[in-house]
Amino acid sequence: MDPYLYNLLIIIFILVTVILIMAGAIILIRLLSARNRRLYRQKAEEWEDIFLDYLHADLSLEKACRRMSGEKRYYWLWHFFAPYLEVLRGTDFEKTKALCRELGLIEHYRVKLRRGRTPARALAARVLGALQCRDSVPEMLPLLRSKNPLLVQAAAQGLARSGEAETFLPAARALLGHTFFTYEGVTEILSCFGKESCPLLEEGIKTEAKNLPDPHQSPDGRVPKRRPRRGEADPSVLVSIMTDLLGYFRCPGSLTLLGHLLEKADDEITVHVLKAFLRFGEVPPDFDLKPYLQHRYWVVRNFSAQVWKFTGDRHALPLLEDLLSDRNWWVRFHAAEALRSAGEKGRNILVEQTEGADETSAAISSYVLNRSEVLQTL
Amino acid sequence: MSTWIIVLIFYNIFVLFYFLGINGFYLLLVIISYRDLRFLRTAERATDRSRSFRSEFYKPLSIIVPAYNEEATIAQTAYSALSLRYPEFEVIIVNDGSSDGTLQVLQEQFNLENSARDYRQEIPCRHIRGTYTSTDYPNLVVVDKVNGGKSDALNAGINVSQFPLFCNIDSDSLIDADSLLKIVDLFAKDWRIVAAGGTIRAANDCRIEDGKVTEIRLSPKFWVRFQIVEYLRAFLFGRSGWSSLGGLMILSGAFSIFRRRAVVETGGYRIDTIGEDMEMVLRLQRVMKKINREYRVVFLPDPVCWTQVPENYDNLQTQRRRWQRGLAESLFGNFEMFLNPQYGSTGMISYPFFLFYELLGPVIEITGYLVFIVSIITGILNPPFVLLFLTAAILLGILLSISALLMEEIYYRQYPRLRDILTLLGFAVLENFFYRQLHAWWRLKGLLDVMFKKRTWGTLERKSFSAAPQSSGKRQP
């Protein structure tokens, strides 16, 4: 036989075999997954009864553990407990954690965290974080120095959920320095640290503020941006994030600190401080909003217009009126909203503007007045 | 030996190497994407999504839906977009000068009123006649503009949009409820990402309620089934593989998300091309490179967008010819990327691959069949060899399609019944016997359209998600 034909026949034979194996694998996977789903459903139903009896104190920890033990598929156990861990608080949460510990779930994932492969370690960090396993914090901290962003993220989330506030700054620095996370992404993860991190946030702002360049040194007040080296967190970004979180948690007593921070703040930090005031719903005593209503950066003007309602400063009304013809729609909108909320005087300004020569001011004034009427009728 | 015989011999050798090259590369993509999908699944398990998007620290998003003569589907598309699970978003429907009742349907369904929304024309687009907001849905904005084609409608939508990210979806498409969360999560995790896309699946004959796919069913229609296998192949190992290699050149126009600022920097969508989705992705990469900014274009297979795929021969042919024209325009319009090491994998691997295998593939494939026949007649090739070679080629094609089905089965398992997956297995075999050849023929016709500068979108039958075919639309480029 021609060797070419012979080789082709061998190739065809191999291809047919591979195709048949793959087709068989597809069918097998489908059947196995259906079986596994059925088995898990049965197990979950069984476990649910035992678990609820245990939570209602009808069953002791030992008995519940004995009836649930024997399951070595820890991922199934995690899958079962995960939704409960999201919603349970206080004693119920602690009881669930005790049961997970007794079932060997915590130990299994602690071993995975130390010795597993990357995906297993990341999952372990998630599980131990959800179980608020503080004794695994020393094992999670080294993951923050990993070169793999997935591990850094999982460790930061795990630490945040385990409620170990002391690890806030290392987690923040790792996320900013070792991953490509955006500002929002980092803040989102750090927000999981919860209100307990307030004292650390204040302390962190005080410390990091010392590393900030002085905006008054540059002629236009803009601080030149320097891209941080890999592994390094930009102090300005770190301060902005902590400022955002102070506002998000409404940390008591931190308004004065934020007021002082404004003195050293660049444009970005100023925006975040004003956002924090918005979240607090108040401003520090003796805070003068007027310079910010005339700020060169539209985002600052925008937030200042929103913050105005907490100051109620009547002297600032002419500045708000000027902002009705601002280049930016959002600034105009929020200035008009501020005037609308300023009582009779502010409303009169808006009505006057609707009949004025400036089309931009007239349009936004009519829009806000009409909108308020629509809202009132709803 | 005559010159013709020598030419035939060389062409046969060329076809053989071409065949080995394309299939070898596809097999490589299968392996790469298999690894990538496995990583994505483990990463998804380790990601605490319950904590995502709970705080206020997310990126708000604008969803832009260009609509031209879409009265049959527009209301459902709008409801689907408005019901998405995402903390803060706006839906911008751009009525691109429809001649049917698209705007009226929107006015009746959503109680529209004139909007005071201001916008800057950051990128050129044709005249916007008016913007409307809904009294029922505060995050719905309808833009009514003079007809200018899909790209122009998208540009108008971008001008009116106010959020840092925008997502464009086709008006005959529905997005899975969690898709936006999954895809925007990518943008939160990597500041370098300028564009990202998800998988497109066929919605034909699926159960759709309130603008959501509530039951996934395999369409009984012949042409749709072929396309399902084709889409699985294209997305699960095609785009996944290219994304892993860092050489993604196309994101589906039916569902992709972009960083608004980056798109504005490119000058928006080009209105003189019909392959605006691919052209944008390529130009985005060129501009980012020129302004020396780090960037990434990524594909995530899990976020799913459901779309109506053509159900008959004529519509499918029209669509594929248009795609081929779009491919040609996008490649020639960004030719500086070809074998340019500055563009990394895109310039050195993807671009040449798309040029030689995707664009010129149909020419080589069809002439290859003809040359085989001539070679048998002239005795250059013996019939058993040709027969066995074609059998091997067909088996390789089947292997690639079944690989995609295997990935689907391991990672996503969207079709709930075993019968569905067995049917798709059958179609993965069947498509190699005439669908692929037909597809090559349509693509060849698309290339001829480019040569003869044919520029229309062609007539496409639009169908309501739950009703019989209704209107037909002809989009002007």
Side-chain angles (χ1 to χ4, degrees):
Chain A
M1 193 187 209
D2 186 340
Y4 288 115
L5 293 183
Y6 181 72
N7 289 340
L8 268 173
L9 273 174
I10 290 179
I11 291 170
I12 288 170
F13 175 75
I14 293 169
L15 285 172
V16 170
T17 313
V18 175
I19 288 169
L20 289 175
I21 290 172
M22 284 174 120
I26 290 173
I27 297 166
L28 195 68
I29 289 168
R30 174 56 63 111
L31 296 173
L32 279 177
S33 73
R35 180 181 156 272
N36 279 344
R37 259 203 316 273
R38 201 178 55 245
L39 277 177
Y40 174 74
R41 259 202 312 270
Q42 282 170 2
K43 286 258 183 196
E45 275 170 26
E46 247 175 69
W47 290 343
E48 196 169 17
D49 293 338
I50 301 167
F51 180 58
L52 292 178
D53 284 348
Y54 164 68
L55 283 187
H56 290 134
D58 297 338
L59 218 58
S60 68
L61 174 64
E62 290 72 30
K63 274 189 184 162
C65 183
R66 208 176 313 130
R67 285 176 61 184
M68 284 180 83
S69 65
E71 181 51 68
K72 293 294 167 215
R73 277 170 287 205
Y74 288 101
Y75 187 73
W76 280 14
L77 277 172
W78 155 243
H79 205 262
F80 172 75
F81 283 115
Y84 292 106
L85 293 170
E86 283 298 317
V87 291
L88 293 178
R89 297 283 177 273
T91 324
D92 284 346
F93 181 86
E94 289 306 322
K95 283 181 84 174
T96 311
K97 188 171 159 182
L99 183 60
C100 288
R101 193 182 292 279
E102 206 61 28
L103 286 168
L105 186 73
I106 290 180
E107 192 46 40
H108 171 79
Y109 280 109
R110 283 188 72 177
V111 172
K112 289 273 176 204
L113 189 65
R114 283 195 298 268
R115 291 202 290 267
R117 291 167 62 187
T118 302
R121 293 176 92 186
L123 176 64
R126 181 186 169 190
V127 175
L128 294 168
L131 283 160
Q132 296 183 9
C133 214
R134 292 190 182 202
D135 38 0
S136 61
V137 167
E139 288 146 5
M140 274 195 240
L141 277 171
L143 299 192
L144 290 177
R145 291 191 293 275
S146 165
K147 282 186 179 152
N148 188 326
L150 177 68
L151 278 183
V152 178
Q153 178 204 345
Q157 277 180 326
L159 289 167
R161 288 199 68 183
S162 62
E164 198 63 50
E166 294 290 330
T167 59
F168 178 90
L169 272 177
R173 287 205 176 99
L175 285 169
L176 287 171
H178 294 286
T179 69
F180 294 102
F181 269 61
T182 57
Y183 180 93
E184 294 83 2
V186 174
T187 321
E188 172 105 8
I189 291 178
L190 296 176
S191 69
C192 297
F193 273 94
K195 233 176 167 165
E196 293 73 32
S197 56
C198 281
L200 276 154
L201 288 172
E202 288 179 26
E203 205 51 50
I205 288 178
K206 281 180 199 159
T207 315
E208 291 296 326
K210 288 175 195 156
N211 302 326
L212 292 175
D214 187 355
H216 305 298
Q217 301 259 315
S218 89
D220 63 351
R222 286 172 199 260
V223 177
K225 283 271 170 206
R226 180 182 69 84
R227 177 173 280 190
R229 283 191 296 272
R230 183 112 174 103
E232 194 185 77
D234 182 343
S236 168
V237 176
L238 199 50
V239 169
S240 296
I241 288 177
M242 290 192 283
T243 307
D244 253 348
L245 289 172
L246 273 187
Y248 180 63
F249 296 131
R250 290 168 188 83
C251 296
S254 48
L255 269 179
T256 320
L257 171 71
L258 292 179
H260 291 312
L261 183 61
L262 273 176
E263 291 161 19
K264 270 199 90 176
D266 61 15
D267 289 358
E268 284 306 321
I269 296 176
T270 306
V271 168
H272 294 291
V273 172
L274 291 168
K275 264 164 82 177
F277 290 163
L278 264 180
R279 290 193 176 112
F280 272 105
E282 56 180 316
V283 292
D286 305 326
F287 171 66
D288 184 12
L289 186 67
K290 288 194 279 296
Y292 301 101
L293 286 169
Q294 301 168 84
H295 202 274
R296 63 177 173 274
Y297 186 27
W298 75 268
V299 186
V300 173
R301 296 197 300 277
N302 174 41
F303 280 109
S304 311
Q306 293 178 68
V307 164
W308 178 85
K309 58 179 176 267
F310 306 122
T311 65
D313 182 2
R314 298 265 143 186
H315 301 296
L317 287 182
L319 293 176
L320 285 174
E321 191 178 346
D322 290 344
L323 291 185
L324 291 176
S325 53
D326 196 279
R327 275 186 307 129
N328 186 283
W329 188 86
W330 284 106
V331 177
R332 296 202 295 274
F333 173 73
H334 285 119
E337 279 289 333
L339 285 167
R340 189 180 63 82
S341 66
E344 196 63 30
K345 200 172 173 190
R347 223 181 147 76
N348 286 342
I349 292 175
L350 286 178
V351 174
E352 274 170 31
Q353 287 293 333
T354 56
E355 292 148 6
D358 185 353
E359 281 179 23
T360 323
S361 318
I364 199 69
S365 304
S366 321
Y367 175 65
V368 166
L369 287 171
N370 288 339
R371 191 169 174 267
S372 71
E373 276 163 24
V374 171
L375 287 176
Q376 275 165 12
T377 56
L378 289 175
Chain B
M1 207 186 289
S2 79
T3 319
W4 278 110
I5 300 289
I6 295 169
V7 169
L8 281 177
I9 291 170
F10 271 104
Y11 200 77
N12 275 315
I13 294 169
F14 169 71
V15 170
L16 179 73
F17 277 101
Y18 175 87
F19 165 82
L20 290 175
I22 191 167
N23 285 298
F25 210 90
Y26 278 141
L27 286 173
L28 183 72
L29 284 179
V30 168
I31 296 165
I32 293 169
S33 54
Y34 176 80
R35 211 193 58 181
D36 191 48
L37 293 182
R38 199 175 60 165
F39 171 78
L40 286 172
R41 188 171 68 165
T42 48
E44 180 64 27
R45 279 182 175 180
T47 303
D48 194 354
R49 215 168 275 291
S50 66
R51 299 275 146 172
S52 299
F53 301 96
R54 268 197 187 178
S55 69
E56 301 155 25
F57 309 108
Y58 45 76
K59 280 200 184 297
L61 175 89
S62 306
I63 298 170
I64 303 174
V65 187
Y68 177 76
N69 287 355
E70 308 279 1
E71 64 177 8
T73 55
I74 195 66
Q76 270 196 319
T77 309
Y79 282 122
S80 164
L82 288 164
S83 66
L84 286 169
R85 223 157 62 86
Y86 195 77
E88 189 182 0
F89 67 98
E90 60 176 358
V91 177
I92 300 171
I93 297 176
V94 186
N95 176 41
D96 187 29
S98 299
S99 54
D100 69 351
T102 303
L103 189 62
Q104 287 74 14
V105 168
L106 289 167
Q107 265 162 345
E108 282 160 21
Q109 292 277 334
F110 299 100
N111 287 327
L112 300 182
E113 60 171 25
N114 282 326
S115 165
R117 177 182 283 242
D118 194 23
Y119 56 87
R120 266 195 301 156
Q121 190 155 330
E122 292 176 273
I123 41 182
C125 70
R126 297 195 74 178
H127 175 61
I128 293 177
R129 290 188 284 233
T131 54
Y132 306 91
T133 39
S134 163
T135 49
D136 301 339
Y137 297 87
N139 56 339
L140 175 68
V141 179
V142 174
V143 177
D144 183 32
K145 67 178 278 291
V146 173
N147 179 264
K150 184 181 176 185
S151 304
D152 195 60
L154 284 169
N155 287 342
I158 295 166
N159 280 329
V160 173
S161 68
Q162 59 187 23
F163 292 138
L165 299 175
F166 76 86
C167 165
N168 54 357
I169 58 170
D170 279 354
S171 52
D172 56 352
S173 304
L174 307 169
I175 305 181
D176 264 358
D178 283 343
S179 290
L180 283 182
L181 291 176
K182 286 177 186 165
I183 205 157
V184 178
D185 197 38
L186 287 178
F187 284 87
K189 284 178 179 165
D190 195 336
W191 53 261
R192 298 167 302 171
I193 294 177
V194 289
T199 301
I200 308 293
R201 286 176 184 266
N204 307 51
D205 295 290
C206 289
R207 184 194 291 272
I208 290 157
E209 287 166 345
D210 301 327
K212 284 181 204 147
V213 176
T214 52
E215 191 189 333
I216 299 162
R217 293 186 198 144
L218 186 63
S219 170
K221 285 155 197 131
F222 194 68
W223 294 109
V224 175
R225 288 179 174 183
F226 281 131
Q227 288 174 84
I228 291 172
V229 176
E230 203 181 10
Y231 276 48
L232 287 176
R233 217 175 36 232
F235 286 96
L236 291 188
F237 79 73
R239 301 228 177 135
S240 268
W242 287 119
S243 181
S244 292
L245 282 174
L248 198 60
M249 301 219 334
I250 182 165
L251 293 172
S252 173
F255 176 44
S256 42
I257 295 192
F258 292 88
R259 226 174 258 284
R260 185 182 183 277
R261 202 179 58 183
V263 172
V264 168
E265 274 166 336
T266 65
Y269 286 92
R270 261 178 60 179
I271 55 167
D272 55 352
T273 175
I274 48 171
E276 81 294 334
D277 39 11
M278 183 177 190
E279 203 284 324
M280 169 51 77
V281 173
L282 287 177
R283 196 150 40 89
L284 199 55
Q285 300 191 43
R286 265 199 309 135
V287 172
M288 291 296 115
K289 191 55 87 182
K290 278 216 172 81
I291 57 177
N292 209 13
R293 193 176 301 163
E294 270 190 86
Y295 68 89
R296 279 185 74 202
V297 177
V298 292
F299 169 79
L300 194 64
D302 195 14
V304 171
C305 174
W306 297 89
T307 194
Q308 298 259 20
V309 300
E311 292 185 346
N312 60 45
Y313 180 92
D314 289 337
N315 276 349
L316 188 56
Q317 177 181 207
T318 307
Q319 185 195 51
R320 297 313 158 96
R321 283 172 74 166
R322 201 181 66 223
W323 285 3
Q324 195 69 7
R325 267 154 50 209
L327 174 69
E329 286 172 1
S330 305
L331 288 177
F332 295 140
N334 295 280
F335 197 71
E336 77 164 76
M337 295 175 90
F338 179 58
L339 290 178
N340 188 340
Q342 252 198 330
Y343 295 100
S345 311
T346 312
M348 299 303 286
I349 307 171
S350 320
Y351 197 108
F353 181 89
F354 273 77
L355 185 66
F356 291 120
Y357 292 124
E358 298 289 345
L359 186 71
L360 300 177
V363 181
I364 296 161
E365 200 176 327
I366 288 171
T367 51
Y369 290 127
L370 296 175
V371 167
F372 270 178
I373 295 166
V374 176
S375 301
I376 292 170
I377 295 166
T378 51
I380 296 170
L381 292 175
N382 62 347
F385 177 84
V386 174
L387 193 71
L388 288 179
F389 180 79
L390 286 176
T391 310
I394 285 169
L395 286 171
L396 256 174
I398 295 172
L399 179 75
L400 290 170
S401 297
I402 290 189
S403 306
L405 283 174
L406 183 62
M407 286 186 210
E408 160 75 4
E409 200 50 30
I410 294 174
Y411 298 115
Y412 302 108
R413 224 168 290 136
Q414 290 270 4
Y415 291 95
R417 292 177 306 182
L418 178 63
R419 204 176 59 197
D420 294 344
I421 208 81
L422 292 176
T423 310
L424 288 178
L425 272 173
F427 272 78
V429 175
L430 200 61
E431 68 161 351
N432 290 280
F433 292 98
F434 85 100
Y435 181 74
R436 280 202 168 180
Q437 292 75 9
L438 200 57
H439 192 214
W441 172 237
W442 292 334
R443 286 160 67 204
L444 184 68
K445 281 163 108 178
L447 276 179
L448 293 174
D449 291 342
V450 177
M451 285 171 67
F452 295 112
K453 298 195 171 17
K454 189 180 171 188
R455 306 203 47 81
T456 58
W457 271 68
T459 306
L460 277 180
E461 201 175 55
R462 283 276 180 261
K463 203 181 121 177
S464 158
F465 281 112
S466 51
Q470 289 182 4
S471 65
S472 69
K474 192 179 180 189
R475 186 183 281 281
Q476 302 298 319

